[in-house]
Amino acid sequence: MTFSTREIQKRSISPIFWLLFGAGGMLSALFGPALILITGILAPTGTGLPENFLSYDAALAFARNPLGKLVLLALIALFFWHGAERVFLTLKDMKAGSSLVLKLGTYGVAALVSVATILLLLAIGF
Amino acid sequence: MSEPVNAESAVLQKTFELRILRYTPGRDEEPAFGSFQVTGAEGMTVLEALQTIKDTLDGTLSYRWSCRMAVCGSCGMMINGTPRLACSTLLRDLPPGPVTVEPLQNFPIERDLVISVDAFVKKIESVYPYLIPKEQKTVAEGPHLQTPAQMAAYESFSDCINCMLCYAACPQFGENPDFIGPGAMAMLQRYNGDSRDGGRQKRLDTIHGEDGVWSCTAVGICSEVCPKQVDPANAVNQNKTNSAFDFFLRFLRTEQPQ
């Protein structure tokens, strides 16, 4: 009995985007709802949080702390990479445009946001 | 003394209407529906209805079948638009009215309800669907032992009957006929998950391209239509992880694939 072997295909670069997507999905599932609750509802209405919890000074100190910078970068960038993959696959299935246009509009945006976040976090100082 | 009850007449009879997509290459320009009225036992299956049609109404009706008990995987077809096994679909469980029967979606039609399986078989063959022993043992050295936990790691994937319902349901296979597809991925995981097997890298190399595991967008309908609860979507997902790690870890491998 002879088995046919497929020609070994060129390796796809999808794993890079898929891992970013997976990491973002994990983070958004773990921290997304809590972040919405704290920054969207509790902080603006001033309920249940210590005073000055999200005041300008407190937030600035957080963003100037190296660990705080990492947390902010991971949350912002990976959330965007997660969304970019979802939106890209949806638009691709809807045949909303050429692959290059869709990639620029989704992965491109996530890349821009990631770079901008890094620059802003550096500009804000330590 | 009363007369013995005739078992046949005691079964409740019912008439069903089947709309079947017919196509004979060379004769028909394109597939077209033919309608048949079938009378039979109220609990008859779609396959039994097709057999009744072939026996009594139209001997030219073509379809594949063999075991009649959801083991052989031959009688997959679109029943009211859903990929199902004709032998395990009872007509009485379908909504009242005509039942639409079509060949499996996403495959070329050979004749009537018979589709071409050539490309699918090639995909199954391409993932090395057999054990590649980690170490060769002589008979004297005894069998390759396995614990129940080691067996449980791959057992559900070995339940696949190659019925191709998952391919008919998969929108990504519909878009890209070269996509390796859910069934072959389940087959791959059946062997890659086997503790006695040593062919993991060989198989991963067959699926790392765009037409390999990366054509999947995690729709998950393959697992929904699977008549044997094989969960091919899980096999695909596990191998996205495996292939993603392989993408980066390949640089650390000492042995390169030939």
Side-chain angles (χ1 to χ4, degrees):
Chain A
M1 190 149 130
T2 50
F3 282 99
S4 61
T5 43
R6 272 152 75 102
E7 220 175 285
I8 290 204
Q9 269 201 322
K10 205 174 113 248
R11 206 177 261 277
S12 165
I13 59 160
S14 297
I16 299 169
F17 302 110
W18 186 77
L19 283 174
L20 287 167
F21 161 77
M26 173 107 72
L27 276 188
S28 58
L30 285 176
F31 299 115
L35 277 174
I36 292 170
L37 186 71
I38 294 169
T39 61
I41 298 167
L42 296 184
T45 56
T47 33
L49 294 174
E51 210 160 323
N52 294 332
F53 181 74
L54 270 183
S55 68
Y56 179 79
D57 290 334
L60 186 66
F62 184 72
R64 280 186 164 162
N65 181 295
L67 263 182
K69 281 187 201 299
L70 270 182
V71 169
L72 288 174
L73 175 64
L75 283 176
I76 295 170
L78 291 177
F79 273 37
F80 262 87
W81 282 106
H82 180 76
E85 174 88 353
R86 280 259 157 96
V87 175
F88 169 69
L89 292 176
T90 306
L91 292 176
K92 188 174 149 242
D93 284 352
M94 291 166 69
K95 300 186 176 46
S98 78
S99 184
L100 181 70
V101 171
L102 297 182
K103 277 180 180 160
L104 283 176
T106 52
Y107 297 154
V109 170
L112 267 181
V113 168
S114 304
V115 173
T117 309
I118 293 171
L119 293 179
L120 283 173
L121 285 171
L122 290 175
I124 222 165
F126 288 86
Chain B
M1 289 286 278
S2 60
E3 274 182 53
V5 179
N6 185 329
E8 196 125 322
S9 65
V11 176
L12 189 59
Q13 299 277 304
K14 213 180 152 186
T15 300
F16 299 97
E17 184 186 350
L18 275 79
R19 288 175 67 246
I20 303 174
L21 197 67
R22 305 295 305 275
Y23 175 68
T24 302
R27 193 194 69 190
D28 304 333
E29 273 193 16
E30 53 183 38
F33 280 101
S35 196
F36 299 90
Q37 302 280 338
V38 190
T39 301
E42 188 247 0
M44 84 193 307
T45 64
V46 172
L47 178 62
E48 285 166 337
L50 293 175
Q51 289 169 322
T52 309
I53 292 169
K54 194 171 175 75
D55 289 346
T56 61
L57 301 171
D58 185 347
T60 68
L61 179 66
S62 301
Y63 52 92
R64 285 199 179 101
W65 68 282
S66 180
C67 76
R68 302 167 285 113
M69 45 200 249
V71 171
C72 76
S74 303
C75 67
M77 49 191 76
M78 307 298 291
I79 298 170
N80 285 345
T82 305
R84 305 181 68 158
L85 296 179
C87 68
S88 63
T89 304
L90 296 177
L91 282 163
R92 68 171 177 215
D93 291 342
L94 300 172
V99 174
T100 304
V101 183
E102 298 158 280
L104 280 181
Q105 205 169 260
N106 301 337
F107 289 95
I109 305 176
E110 243 164 47
R111 181 183 169 133
D112 293 344
L113 300 172
V114 178
I115 47 121
S116 167
V117 301
D118 301 13
F120 169 72
V121 172
K122 286 217 163 65
K123 283 174 190 170
I124 291 285
E125 289 181 346
S126 75
V127 298
Y128 303 94
Y130 43 86
L131 277 176
I132 302 172
K134 261 187 195 147
E135 41 175 340
Q136 294 292 345
K137 275 178 146 182
T138 62
V139 176
E141 286 171 305
H144 296 266
L145 294 175
Q146 201 162 49
T147 66
Q150 285 171 330
M151 185 172 159
Y154 69 84
E155 196 186 7
S156 67
F157 298 116
S158 73
D159 288 339
C160 175
I161 56 173
N162 299 330
C163 67
M164 295 171 281
L165 299 194
C166 50
Y167 285 77
C170 174
Q172 298 305 337
F173 174 62
E175 288 292 319
N176 174 15
D178 291 327
F179 171 33
I180 183 104
M185 289 304 303
M187 185 64 83
L188 177 142
Q189 188 54 31
R190 181 257 169 271
Y191 291 102
N192 271 9
D194 193 316
S195 60
R196 300 163 296 182
D197 183 85
R200 184 177 188 274
Q201 191 58 50
K202 245 179 154 173
R203 294 193 192 91
L204 282 183
D205 287 336
T206 66
I207 56 151
H208 65 208
E210 276 303 322
D211 295 336
V213 72
W214 298 109
S215 264
C216 168
T217 57
V219 176
I221 196 162
C222 49
S223 293
E224 274 173 47
V225 300
C226 179
K228 308 301 279 184
Q229 286 79 47
V230 168
D231 200 357
N234 177 16
V236 174
N237 233 8
Q238 285 190 43
N239 283 291
K240 274 186 182 169
T241 310
N242 294 341
S243 190
F245 281 123
D246 184 54
F247 182 88
F248 294 102
L249 297 182
R250 74 190 134 134
F251 303 112
L252 303 175
R253 281 211 305 271
T254 47
E255 227 176 282
Q256 291 298 321
Q258 65 284 39

